[in-house]
């Protein structure tokens, strides 16, 4: 059908036919619609082009939405206590996750091994702490949304100069930070002293360790738990042994009443007194009132009479 197409239209059509991506095709279709002759005999063509344009645009928009959603899907369900391991490539983030949790995150001696966040749970005498190993922070695969919402940042370095490189990525992230200097097995005593003095002078909350030899890993676990300002309280039924697997996690300075409320949900008024054994008690099985302030690792026995 002769539509007396002009040069511009022919050119756009040629481009359309050789376009490789949908995005390119969409641009060409736009151009064809704009330059096509507008008269009676070209109405069908115009209709066809418009339909194709609309369909292609819709397809691209759905793809875009899907991509966005997959970023959100990573959207890890946040636990009560969550810490994220961040740092430059190859510093040992994935090795640390494997040291602290049962999760296995692939570790290797090349850059950008980790491509998506990997979750693990650190069991700290029954307290479950969620740890997330992230792709290297300078890599675009690193989802800063996850980093920004974590309670505690574990900033992993193997050289103190890396801190300045990491900082720009953390402008919106948690203020609770633990600097972890890894791979101390590769340093001699004098090098270690220098690193220590440097981090100390900046008043960082820091620790120097080795994922390879496990040196100081246990101390790091203590530090991570302390960063949340929570306490573990173990409850016990009269005459039964204490269950060390399921502590109640409470904010620091919580009382016996708070602990009762957490397990009895509104029925805490039934508790008349409690017996406490542990750091907050003067002696084992000390009888205390509901306003008694608990400490980490206390064992509480509730009495309704
Ligand atoms: N000598 C020594 N090597 C370590 C230590 N921790 C990790 N490595 C090694 O360092 C390399 C990198 O470790 P990864 O755990 O993959 O590092 P990563 O930070 O997760 O790396 P990306 O995911 O690429 O950002 C591996 O070859 C590890 O075996 C350590 O304490 N000492
Ligand atoms: Mg990794």
């Amino acid at each position: 059908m002769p539509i007396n197409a002009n040069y511009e239209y022919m050119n756009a059509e040629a481009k359309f036919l050789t376009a490789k991506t949908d995005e390119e095709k969409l641009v060409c279709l736009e151009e064809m619609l704009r330059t096509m002759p507008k008269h009676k005999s070209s109405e069908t063509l115009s209709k066809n082009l418009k339909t194709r344009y609309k369909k292609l645009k819709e397809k691209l928009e759905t793809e875009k939405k899907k991509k966005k959603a997959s970023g959100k899907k990573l959207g890890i369900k946040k636990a009560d206590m969550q810490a994220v391991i961040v740092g430059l490539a190859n510093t040992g983030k994935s090795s640390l996750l494997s040291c602290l949790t049962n999760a296995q995150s692939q570790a290797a001696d090349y850059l950008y091994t980790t491509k998506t966040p990997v979750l693990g749970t650190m069991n700290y005498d029954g307290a479950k702490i969620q740890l997330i190993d992230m792709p290297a922070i300078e890599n675009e695969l690193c989802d800063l949304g996850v980093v920004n919402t974590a309670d505690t940042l574990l900033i992993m370095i193997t050289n103190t100069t890396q801190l300045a490189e990491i900082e720009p990525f953390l402008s919106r992230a948690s203020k609770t930070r633990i600097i972890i200097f890894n791979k101390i097995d590769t340093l001699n005593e004098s090098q270690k002293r220098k690193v220590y003095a440097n981090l100390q002078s900046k008043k960082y909350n820091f620790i120097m360790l080795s994922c390879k030899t496990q040196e100081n890993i246990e101390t790091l676990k203590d530090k991570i738990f302390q960063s949340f300002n929570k306490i573990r309280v173990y409850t016990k039924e009269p005459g039964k042994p204490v269950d060390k697997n399921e502590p109640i996690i409470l904010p620091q300075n919580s009382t016996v009443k708070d602990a009762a409320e957490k397990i009895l949900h509104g029925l805490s008024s039934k508790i008349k007194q409690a017996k406490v054994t542990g750091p907050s008690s003067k002696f084992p099985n000390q009888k205390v009132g509901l306003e008694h302030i608990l400490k980490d690792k206390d064992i509480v026995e509730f009495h309704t009479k």
Side-chain angles (χ1 to χ4, degrees), residues 53-288:
Y53 178 81
K54 211 176 132 205
K55 277 200 176 148
L56 193 59
K57 197 159 183 181
E58 274 169 10
K59 182 180 163 207
L60 283 171
E61 266 162 19
T62 334
E63 275 171 9
K64 228 189 200 168
K65 272 189 202 149
K66 265 196 196 150
K67 260 193 204 156
K68 261 198 184 160
S70 74
K72 271 201 187 141
K73 212 160 53 198
L74 288 173
I76 295 150
K77 192 168 177 293
K78 194 174 166 296
D80 272 353
M81 296 180 275
Q82 187 192 63
V84 173
I85 311 169
V86 295
L88 301 182
N90 229 21
T91 47
K93 300 177 293 298
S94 301
S95 306
L96 183 69
L97 186 83
S98 305
C99 277
L100 296 174
T101 72
N102 288 332
Q104 287 298 323
S105 186
Q106 195 196 344
D109 199 16
Y110 51 85
L111 300 183
Y112 310 122
T113 311
T114 309
K115 308 271 191 263
T116 57
V118 181
L119 290 186
T121 304
M122 178 176 117
N123 189 330
Y124 188 70
D125 276 343
K128 310 278 188 296
I129 297 167
Q130 187 177 49
L131 295 183
I132 307 174
D133 169 31
M134 298 297 287
I137 199 149
E138 75 275 27
N139 190 303
E140 57 178 19
L141 294 169
C142 183
D143 183 342
L144 288 179
V146 178
V147 176
N148 290 339
T149 54
D151 301 309
T152 298
L153 291 183
L154 305 177
I155 303 174
M156 197 139 203
I157 56 172
T158 49
N159 184 319
T160 49
T161 57
Q162 290 171 355
L163 286 167
E165 288 178 65
I166 298 170
E167 196 52 47
F169 297 99
L170 303 180
S171 57
R172 297 174 58 197
S174 153
K175 294 282 173 280
T176 311
R177 297 169 178 202
I178 301 172
I179 311 281
I180 302 171
F181 191 102
N182 186 28
K183 308 197 188 182
I184 55 168
D185 56 288
T186 63
L187 302 187
N188 62 33
E189 289 308 315
S190 123
Q191 288 169 319
K192 279 193 237 178
R193 269 198 300 277
K194 267 193 195 144
V195 172
Y196 186 92
N198 182 319
L199 294 171
Q200 180 88 329
S201 72
K202 299 197 175 103
K203 300 203 164 63
Y204 289 127
N205 179 15
F206 72 96
I207 185 161
M208 294 166 64
L209 54 73
S210 163
C211 292
K212 192 173 174 185
T213 64
Q214 306 265 317
E215 186 180 347
N216 277 343
I217 291 287
E218 289 306 313
T219 320
L220 174 65
K221 289 185 183 174
D222 299 335
K223 261 192 192 300
I224 293 175
F225 180 70
Q226 284 156 12
S227 75
F228 302 112
N229 295 323
K230 305 254 170 154
I231 56 169
R232 290 160 297 176
V233 173
Y234 302 90
T235 53
K236 156 180 188 319
E237 287 182 43
K240 287 196 182 159
V242 56
D243 178 7
K244 283 265 183 182
N245 291 321
E246 293 276 337
I248 318 174
I249 306 298
L250 294 166
Q252 268 170 8
N253 295 318
S254 291
T255 61
V256 167
K257 185 166 193 254
D258 298 326
E261 193 57 35
K262 187 117 187 196
I263 47 173
L264 295 170
H265 311 292
L267 295 173
S268 64
S269 55
K270 288 203 166 178
I271 304 294
K272 297 297 177 238
Q273 64 163 340
K275 283 184 188 168
V276 176
T277 304
S280 81
S281 73
K282 294 196 187 96
F283 46 85
N285 286 315
Q286 184 189 354
K287 283 186 190 167
V288 298

